Amino acid sequence: MAKIKRDEKSVKLAKQILEDYQPENVEDMQNALKDIFGPMFEAMLKGEMSHHLGYESNDKAEKQTNNRRNGYGKKTVKTSSGEVDIQMPRDRDGSFDSQVIPKRKRDVSAIEDKVIAMYARGMSQRDISSTIEDIYGFSVSHDMVSDITDSVLPELEEWQTRPLHDCYAFVFVGCMYTTIRNQYETKKYAVYTILGYTMEGHKEILGLWLNETESKHKWMQIFDEIKARGVEDIFFLSMDGVSGLEEGARAIFPNVIVQRCMVHLIRNSIKYVPSKDYKPFTKALKKVYGAPSLKACLSAFESFKQQWAAYPGAIDVWTRNFQHVEQLFDYGSAIRKVMYTTNAVESIHSSFRKVTKKGAFPNENALLKVLYLRVQELESKWKDGQMQNWAMVMNQFLLHDHLKDRVLKYLE
């Protein structure tokens, strides 16, 4: 394994802490860090005071103004490592009000929350360090940023292993790729995402998994894992076209109805179509999978094959997968509207790309931290929302014998 390159200042500080405090356990280290917070915040406060007055301490300009430094006052503040006593700088006319530690504020652990929030929005450790320095006039090392964001790892592990609902009406699966630095080379890693809709119509990301490639074996492991976490049944599973994924899903959840994504089939078929014909080609396809009935669908498909006979490769994609188009019409329009595409999980991946576009991640944990924080933001937006037209979806479930008993079982 390659040696991790540490910032020289951080290494020097760590050695000094070990030499001065000689910690023997985690509690000793927490106490050492608590001692460091005091001077750290005091340095930030002094920087703020200089900015407020317009000159540094001992500057000649101090003699040319009525408002000057006026000593210090003691204040006890709460940090993530416990309570810390600090010296608050004062000015003569009392106009100084710190942004780091405002008047009457005694909990300053929020600065760590600010670092985590910036990390969640895809800012690099270097950018976070620069931003903190610009705002507070105090330098935060890359290692310190990493240590602060590592505080979400226990949360992440708990989230990844949490119990799940016993049944999901719809599940959408998909993969996206991002880059991780592995020793001296960079590698593309597949991020596996599963989005579920509960029986109440609420969205939930069941988990995130990493692997160097997307494969049916990994998907089977994932399905096996979510079953172990409490999932007994899935009604519909929408996927792209990974070979073996359908069989793998049914091996774990025998009654699941697997649906190929129409959007992915469109993407696969237009590879055989000149760009000038994209619009009329996709318009003709929409009449097929978007038809009001199976009879209208079959009629539209025959017309489609005749109209685009010049592109046999494109037609073959739909002929080979037409059972997935026909399957849509086994169900009412409200169900079809949900199950026909994996756009719901693709939307999540689009959100992930906004925070992973900064470049390669140094390791898997660094990537998972960013993705987990993004998941938390997304799920907070979904918290009280229900899928549109969910009542109609549930009514249409009850019209099918193979779904009715399962619906009533999990709604009890």
Side-chain angles (χ1 to χ4, degrees):
M1 182 181 290
K3 186 177 179 181
I4 298 173
K5 189 175 181 181
R6 298 289 187 187
D7 181 77
E8 289 184 9
K9 292 181 180 178
S10 299
V11 173
K12 186 177 179 181
L13 177 60
K15 287 180 178 178
Q16 190 66 48
I17 293 171
L18 291 172
E19 183 180 330
D20 292 347
Y21 290 89
Q22 298 182 358
E24 296 180 359
N25 50 46
V26 174
E27 186 178 352
D28 289 346
M29 183 57 74
Q30 285 289 95
N31 289 333
L33 291 174
K34 189 168 67 172
D35 284 353
I36 293 169
F37 279 137
M40 181 182 82
F41 283 115
E42 286 171 0
M44 296 165 75
L45 291 165
K46 287 178 182 178
E48 278 195 304
M49 177 61 84
S50 294
H51 179 74
H52 172 68
L53 295 174
Y55 53 80
E56 299 294 330
S57 180
N58 299 321
D59 194 301
K60 291 180 179 179
E62 187 167 3
K63 298 178 181 179
Q64 301 170 8
T65 178
N66 291 326
N67 192 23
R68 299 197 290 272
R69 289 171 174 80
N70 190 31
Y72 298 89
K74 183 181 175 183
K75 187 171 185 175
T76 301
V77 294
K78 179 184 175 183
T79 75
S80 58
S81 296
E83 291 189 342
V84 175
D85 291 330
I86 60 171
Q87 290 186 311
M88 291 287 296
R90 297 181 301 203
D91 59 342
R92 180 164 291 186
D93 66 11
S95 59
F96 174 61
D97 187 8
S98 169
Q99 297 300 306
V100 177
I101 309 176
K103 291 176 180 176
R104 294 176 293 280
K105 182 178 178 67
R106 295 191 176 277
D107 188 343
V108 296
S109 57
I111 191 167
E112 295 185 0
D113 295 336
K114 289 183 175 66
V115 170
I116 290 172
M118 286 187 279
Y119 195 77
R121 285 165 175 76
M123 290 180 67
S124 68
Q125 293 181 0
R126 185 181 300 277
D127 289 341
I128 292 171
S129 180
S130 298
T131 301
I132 293 293
E133 188 166 8
D134 287 345
I135 295 173
Y136 300 115
F138 179 82
S139 179
V140 178
S141 72
H142 299 173
D143 286 338
M144 186 178 289
V145 172
S146 180
D147 289 343
I148 290 172
T149 55
D150 277 352
S151 66
V152 306
L153 289 176
E155 243 181 79
L156 167 62
E157 185 177 353
E158 184 179 348
W159 178 79
Q160 285 280 54
T161 57
R162 75 196 187 281
L164 299 171
H165 289 273
D166 49 13
C167 180
Y168 290 88
F170 297 96
V171 162
F172 305 88
V173 301
C175 265
M176 61 167 275
Y177 283 84
T178 189
T179 307
I180 293 178
R181 287 195 301 273
N182 190 349
Q183 295 185 4
Y184 299 105
E185 61 179 349
T186 58
K187 283 189 176 181
K188 289 287 185 181
Y189 268 68
V191 178
Y192 292 70
T193 309
I194 296 186
L195 171 70
Y197 281 83
T198 68
M199 294 299 290
E200 292 74 34
H202 300 298
K203 288 196 284 188
E204 177 188 348
I205 296 175
L206 278 59
L208 301 169
W209 297 264
L210 300 182
N211 199 45
E212 289 191 16
T213 58
E214 183 181 10
S215 70
K216 64 178 182 180
H217 302 292
K218 182 64 178 178
W219 276 119
M220 277 195 69
Q221 290 173 10
I222 292 171
F223 291 136
D224 202 34
E225 179 186 318
I226 65 172
K227 186 174 184 178
R229 288 166 58 195
V231 182
E232 298 174 4
D233 199 359
I234 295 171
F235 294 172
F236 296 93
L237 186 147
S238 294
M239 62 169 211
D240 49 23
V242 178
S243 177
L245 195 157
E246 183 172 349
E247 293 78 7
R250 287 208 178 96
I252 310 297
F253 299 102
N255 296 319
V256 69
I257 298 156
V258 180
Q259 177 64 46
R260 281 291 304 272
C261 172
M262 296 296 106
V263 176
H264 278 84
L265 289 178
I266 291 170
R267 290 175 188 165
N268 291 340
S269 60
I270 61 174
K271 294 175 184 176
Y272 304 96
V273 177
S275 57
K276 65 182 178 64
D277 287 332
Y278 281 1
K279 283 189 177 180
F281 180 83
T282 55
K283 186 177 180 180
L285 274 175
K286 192 170 184 179
K287 292 179 181 178
V288 178
Y289 65 82
S293 66
L294 178 58
K295 183 178 179 180
C297 167
L298 294 171
S299 176
F301 190 51
E302 288 303 317
S303 298
F304 168 79
K305 288 190 288 186
Q306 293 175 16
Q307 181 183 359
W308 300 100
Y311 307 131
I315 292 174
D316 183 60
V317 170
W318 288 90
T319 302
R320 283 186 287 108
N321 292 281
F322 198 69
Q323 72 271 20
H324 287 286
V325 181
E326 289 181 297
Q327 178 176 258
L328 288 171
F329 296 93
D330 291 341
Y331 304 97
S333 59
I335 296 175
R336 288 204 304 270
K337 188 175 181 181
V338 181
M339 66 186 281
Y340 89 99
T341 178
T342 59
N343 276 356
V345 77
E346 293 294 336
S347 176
I348 293 170
H349 286 164
S350 177
S351 181
F352 285 170
R353 289 187 183 96
K354 291 177 181 177
V355 296
T356 58
K357 63 184 179 181
K358 63 184 180 183
F361 288 82
N363 51 56
E364 291 187 14
N365 275 347
L367 172 59
L368 284 171
K369 283 188 295 185
V370 169
L371 296 179
Y372 169 67
L373 291 167
R374 194 60 164 178
V375 167
Q376 296 304 102
E377 286 190 3
L378 291 173
E379 291 196 333
S380 68
K381 295 176 183 177
W382 304 337
K383 191 173 182 180
D384 300 316
Q386 186 185 62
M387 182 193 290
Q388 190 176 11
N389 211 23
W390 186 250
M392 186 58 70
V393 170
M394 295 302 291
N395 278 304
Q396 291 184 3
F397 280 161
L398 297 174
L399 297 176
H400 299 273
D401 291 339
H402 69 286
L403 290 175
K404 182 177 180 179
D405 290 342
R406 292 155 72 188
V407 169
L408 296 176
K409 174 185 176 180
Y410 292 108
L411 282 180
E412 290 177 353

